[in-house]
Amino acid sequence: MAPARRTHDARQTLEHLLREAAANEKVIGFAGGLPSEKLFPRSRLARAFVRAMARAGAPGLQYGWAEGSVGLRAFFAERLGRRGAQVTADDVIVTSGAQQAIAIALQLAAPRGGRVALDDDTYPALLDLLRARGLRPVSTLDAAPCAYAMPAIANPCGHGASPSRRRDLLDSGAFVVEDDAYADLHFAGPPPPPLLAQARERVFHVGTLSKILCPGLRIGWLVPPPIFRERALALKQGADLQASSLGQAVVEDYLSGSGVRRASSSLAGNGRLDFDARLVRLRTFYRRRAETLAQAIACHLPSWRFAFPEGGFAIWASTEERLDEAGFLAAAVEEGVSFDPGSQFRADSRDGRPTALRLCFSSVNPVKVDEGMRRLARAFRRAVRRGAATPRS
Amino acid sequence: MAPARRTHDARQTLEHLLREAAANEKVIGFAGGLPSEKLFPRSRLARAFVRAMARAGAPGLQYGWAEGSVGLRAFFAERLGRRGAQVTADDVIVTSGAQQAIAIALQLAAPRGGRVALDDDTYPALLDLLRARGLRPVSTLDAAPCAYAMPAIANPCGHGASPSRRRDLLDSGAFVVEDDAYADLHFAGPPPPPLLAQARERVFHVGTLSKILCPGLRIGWLVPPPIFRERALALKQGADLQASSLGQAVVEDYLSGSGVRRASSSLAGNGRLDFDARLVRLRTFYRRRAETLAQAIACHLPSWRFAFPEGGFAIWASTEERLDEAGFLAAAVEEGVSFDPGSQFRADSRDGRPTALRLCFSSVNPVKVDEGMRRLARAFRRAVRRGAATPRS
């Protein structure tokens, strides 16, 4: 069987196992990178929806312009401005999540068949996109016309880029797709300046409300370099006409504050303060969950290595043991626990790096974390025993 | 100036005028193809939203699978089944509106740089997509590997494909992207069988709730030929991960009937009957609006020619007068009325066809239609007077 086909089949096997695990309520799920539903502001969103329905013309149900709501674009621009980027509402395009923003940015920044420089471990859906577009992932910035990076907080490792890595990205001359999805979940506080602030002409800046509000809204944004703005908007329109009017209307109302305060507030006023307070709560919430998981890993899987994350949703852990990844995941699901297999985050699985996995603490009830790691340790012991007999593929 | 640049600038001019018109409440707007906001079931959607918020895990706010909600997919499949297509929920992919479904279908059916057969007058965002992808629009099916068609009700003409045109599409051997957006708005009653029912292996079937429920939800669907299903789903995931969970959850609840009836209903039960009743109301509503507009055109613009539409949102009218299109639209906006310029629906504007325009009756209050056509007639007279002096570009 050809390597590409084998890799494809291996991915299918993992996907099948992960879907099975997600559908089984008895499985303690550390896979998927979901935000905690406990942080979804359901009541406030419901009130926002009812008010949005009552607006003249019901813009939340009607068609809108491709670039998205001016209120949201101003809100995103203002937040970037506070981090040092010179951006106005006109520079921002509301997208159907960060994924669409990345897809558009790559279409403009990376010539078909060209090289895209990546971290060794990176966002799985980015790798899918590169495969679909015939783009070649490379680990060096040399001669790559385009780089993808998550400088604030990277997925899956949970750490920000070092000052030297940031400098290399800026000095490389490449277009940089800056995925800022987890920036506001830096446990230590507000996010660092985006690369956008230092290289407006070469950075495609990508953001999203998926991690800090709700993913189901599908609201992200793209700030392309000014000379690409018109083409980016045309690609956005060609892709799906516009982001969900419903999502935009609900978020816009939500951000403008509750109905009581509405008369005296705006997206740049009380809504902003509320949202900043929300982010402070989120950072504390997820940092505590990270600590709980880190303790449980240290207790039940002492041979696994990881660096405590600076932010985000997950701990990226690795082991020197040779494991059959699909066998390990299957054993884990049998034991009643799931994780994201490390190969999903890697462009190339045939290189002898340690077996790794991503454990998402974000959406697991903390009282189940210890039991989850206990189950994972059992699956790990089973996989190690089998590992001696099964060659790693 | 190069022709491509000139065409681009001309499109920009028209877009600028249309945005200006849309922002001006005094302009009677026959542009844009918007459904009537009077038909948006706001209260029921608001109730559906509140119930969706209360569901365990709040799936309407969380991430979902790329293929979309199984309930919605089953609903769309069942409706296609009633029209003779052998389709199950597994064959359907929920998309972010019809536009995304078309974009994915073209990516699979039309090789880069290849030919796509079209009607002479067609959907503007399709033409934008062809330009962005470097695809070549052609008017003949000969040697085209792919065709785009709206066989049930075409945009902008408002008519279904003739039996011979349907046969040609089926016999051509080409992949057909069947855009069924207006099928349920056939004034005479339920829609004809889709081409999908006759050529499952070669038809990419595209549908949407935008015209029959609300566009702001961004819920469409794609039924690709079975051999393309996996690749279509991968492209969907790469494009934006998934359609809006919020839109899907609200629609799913809405279709399942009101809260009172919920226990005894399902998407295939009461919800289906309610939705069929809704479609009957919509057909009558839009047919009446079409009649009002047709009378007003006949009265105030007697030299314009059009065929009364069989369905949809608009009347496609043409004149033998030579007009500068941008000048005509500018005069119209000055007079307080707007329309969709015919060039937007044509791949090539340099071919001596009559000047045409699309007048959308769908979202115009009927009491304003007569005044709207009175204004358009004034703008037309001004444009004709100027036409003698200004060469058509």
Side-chain angles (χ1 to χ4, degrees):
Chain A
M1 196 160 50
R5 185 75 221 167
R6 196 166 56 219
T7 310
H8 171 266
D9 289 351
R11 277 201 302 273
Q12 295 282 96
T13 304
L14 296 176
E15 157 121 9
H16 181 78
L17 284 165
L18 290 170
R19 282 182 176 248
E20 189 191 314
N24 185 344
E25 285 184 11
K26 291 184 181 155
V27 171
I28 303 175
F30 293 90
L34 308 186
S36 171
E37 68 184 68
K38 292 185 75 165
L39 295 169
F40 296 161
R42 300 190 198 198
S43 310
R44 287 187 59 183
L45 289 176
R47 288 197 297 275
F49 185 95
V50 171
R51 280 193 303 269
M53 285 299 94
R55 280 176 62 192
L61 299 175
Q62 191 53 281
Y63 283 114
W65 298 110
E67 68 271 21
S69 131
V70 65
L72 283 186
R73 288 185 287 116
F75 181 79
F76 301 146
E78 190 267 345
R79 294 187 68 78
L80 283 167
R82 282 198 273 154
R83 292 166 65 196
Q86 300 298 315
V87 174
T88 71
D90 287 345
D91 300 317
V92 180
I93 298 171
V94 180
T95 57
S96 302
Q99 180 72 12
Q100 182 178 65
I102 296 168
I104 292 170
L106 280 181
Q107 220 167 326
L108 294 169
R112 216 169 169 79
R115 280 181 273 209
V116 179
L118 309 172
D119 288 336
D120 283 346
D121 308 311
T122 193
Y123 172 49
L126 186 266
L127 295 173
D128 292 340
L129 256 184
L130 300 188
R131 275 187 286 269
R133 297 265 178 88
L135 294 166
R136 283 187 295 154
V138 294
S139 56
T140 166
L141 284 161
D142 298 343
C146 174
Y148 168 87
M150 304 184 80
I153 293 291
N155 180 10
C157 76
H159 285 259
S162 66
S164 75
R165 175 68 178 167
R166 291 175 66 96
R167 210 164 35 239
D168 287 349
L169 284 165
L170 290 168
D171 291 349
S172 68
F175 288 115
V176 179
V177 180
E178 177 179 41
D179 183 347
D180 213 35
Y182 292 95
D184 280 313
L185 296 177
H186 215 281
F187 299 151
L195 295 179
L196 179 73
Q198 287 163 277
R200 181 78 180 82
E201 309 299 322
R202 280 192 295 110
V203 170
F204 291 79
H205 184 86
V206 172
T208 177
L209 293 177
S210 291
K211 317 300 177 189
I212 53 177
L213 192 55
C214 313
L217 301 164
R218 309 310 300 133
I219 302 288
W221 59 93
L222 172 65
V223 181
I227 58 160
F228 286 106
R229 197 265 178 187
E230 186 182 327
R231 285 168 65 197
L233 186 60
L235 289 175
K236 162 62 186 165
Q237 185 155 7
D240 65 356
L241 298 187
Q242 54 157 121
S244 161
S245 305
L246 188 64
Q248 292 185 76
V250 170
V251 171
E252 196 168 353
D253 188 289
Y254 165 81
L255 290 173
S256 72
S258 77
V260 180
R261 280 197 305 268
R262 205 175 183 203
S264 63
S265 68
S266 76
L267 286 192
N270 285 352
R272 192 188 93 179
L273 297 177
D274 281 2
F275 201 69
D276 286 343
R278 172 180 172 80
L279 293 178
V280 171
R281 282 201 309 280
L282 260 60
R283 288 178 195 123
T284 307
F285 180 95
Y286 286 122
R287 182 177 47 73
R288 288 201 184 128
R289 289 200 164 189
E291 286 163 358
T292 304
L293 177 59
Q295 283 161 17
I297 299 172
C299 176
H300 300 291
L301 292 154
S303 71
W304 284 72
R305 294 183 310 190
F306 63 92
F308 189 79
E310 292 180 280
F313 280 177
I315 288 177
W316 178 243
S318 65
T319 173
E320 291 299 329
E321 293 286 349
R322 283 169 64 90
L323 298 175
D324 169 60
E325 194 176 52
F328 180 27
L329 181 59
V333 175
E334 277 172 32
E335 295 287 350
V337 65
S338 69
F339 60 84
D340 288 314
S343 65
Q344 297 193 320
F345 303 85
R346 292 172 166 177
D348 188 338
S349 60
R350 298 176 300 276
D351 65 354
R353 278 181 290 178
T355 298
L357 51 71
R358 188 180 75 165
L359 293 167
C360 300
F361 48 77
S362 47
S363 60
V364 184
N365 185 332
V367 305
K368 293 186 175 174
V369 166
D370 194 75
E371 172 60 18
M373 289 305 103
R374 206 181 289 270
R375 293 177 185 182
L376 189 62
R378 281 201 295 271
F380 176 54
R381 286 191 295 270
R382 282 169 57 187
V384 169
R385 280 197 298 274
R386 249 186 267 153
T390 315
R392 189 176 174 191
S393 67
Chain B
M1 196 162 48
R5 187 72 221 170
R6 196 165 56 218
T7 311
H8 171 266
D9 289 349
R11 277 201 303 274
Q12 295 281 94
T13 304
L14 296 176
E15 156 120 10
H16 181 78
L17 284 166
L18 290 169
R19 282 183 175 246
E20 188 191 313
N24 184 344
E25 284 184 12
K26 292 184 181 153
V27 171
I28 303 174
F30 293 90
L34 308 185
S36 171
E37 68 184 68
K38 291 184 75 164
L39 295 168
F40 295 160
R42 299 191 199 199
S43 309
R44 287 188 59 184
L45 289 175
R47 288 198 297 274
F49 184 95
V50 171
R51 281 195 301 271
M53 285 300 94
R55 282 176 60 192
L61 299 176
Q62 191 53 281
Y63 282 114
W65 299 108
E67 67 272 21
S69 130
V70 65
L72 282 186
R73 289 184 287 116
F75 180 78
F76 300 145
E78 190 268 345
R79 294 187 68 79
L80 284 168
R82 283 198 272 154
R83 293 166 64 196
Q86 300 297 316
V87 174
T88 72
D90 287 345
D91 300 317
V92 180
I93 298 171
V94 180
T95 58
S96 303
Q99 179 72 14
Q100 183 177 65
I102 295 168
I104 292 170
L106 280 181
Q107 219 167 328
L108 294 169
R112 216 168 170 79
R115 280 182 273 209
V116 179
L118 308 172
D119 288 337
D120 283 346
D121 307 311
T122 194
Y123 171 48
L126 186 267
L127 295 174
D128 292 339
L129 256 183
L130 299 188
R131 274 187 287 268
R133 297 264 179 87
L135 295 167
R136 282 187 296 154
V138 293
S139 56
T140 167
L141 284 161
D142 299 344
C146 174
Y148 168 87
M150 304 184 79
I153 292 291
N155 179 9
C157 77
H159 285 260
S162 66
S164 74
R165 175 70 179 168
R166 290 175 67 95
R167 212 166 32 242
D168 288 349
L169 284 164
L170 290 168
D171 291 350
S172 68
F175 288 116
V176 179
V177 181
E178 177 179 40
D179 183 347
D180 214 35
Y182 293 95
D184 279 312
L185 296 177
H186 215 280
F187 299 151
L195 295 178
L196 180 73
Q198 288 163 277
R200 181 78 180 83
E201 310 299 321
R202 280 192 294 110
V203 170
F204 291 79
H205 185 86
V206 172
T208 177
L209 293 178
S210 291
K211 318 299 177 189
I212 53 178
L213 193 55
C214 315
L217 302 163
R218 310 309 301 133
I219 303 288
W221 59 92
L222 173 65
V223 182
I227 58 161
F228 286 106
R229 197 263 179 189
E230 187 182 328
R231 284 169 65 197
L233 186 60
L235 289 175
K236 161 63 188 165
Q237 187 155 6
D240 65 356
L241 298 185
Q242 54 156 119
S244 161
S245 304
L246 187 64
Q248 292 185 78
V250 170
V251 171
E252 196 167 353
D253 188 290
Y254 165 82
L255 290 173
S256 72
S258 77
V260 180
R261 281 197 305 268
R262 203 175 185 204
S264 63
S265 69
S266 76
L267 287 193
N270 286 352
R272 192 187 93 180
L273 298 178
D274 282 2
F275 200 68
D276 287 343
R278 171 180 172 80
L279 294 178
V280 171
R281 283 201 310 280
L282 261 59
R283 288 178 194 122
T284 308
F285 180 94
Y286 286 122
R287 183 178 47 71
R288 288 201 184 128
R289 289 201 163 188
E291 286 163 359
T292 303
L293 177 59
Q295 283 161 16
I297 299 172
C299 175
H300 299 292
L301 292 155
S303 71
W304 284 73
R305 294 182 311 188
F306 63 93
F308 189 79
E310 290 180 280
F313 281 178
I315 288 178
W316 178 241
S318 65
T319 175
E320 291 300 329
E321 293 286 351
R322 284 168 64 91
L323 298 175
D324 168 60
E325 194 177 50
F328 179 27
L329 181 59
V333 176
E334 276 173 31
E335 295 286 349
V337 65
S338 70
F339 60 84
D340 288 315
S343 65
Q344 296 193 321
F345 303 85
R346 292 172 166 176
D348 188 339
S349 59
R350 297 178 301 278
D351 65 353
R353 278 182 290 179
T355 298
L357 51 73
R358 187 179 76 165
L359 293 167
C360 299
F361 48 77
S362 48
S363 61
V364 184
N365 185 333
V367 304
K368 293 186 177 174
V369 167
D370 193 75
E371 173 60 18
M373 288 305 104
R374 207 182 288 271
R375 294 178 185 181
L376 189 61
R378 280 200 295 270
F380 177 52
R381 286 191 295 269
R382 282 170 55 186
V384 170
R385 281 197 298 274
R386 248 185 267 152
T390 314
R392 189 176 175 191
S393 67

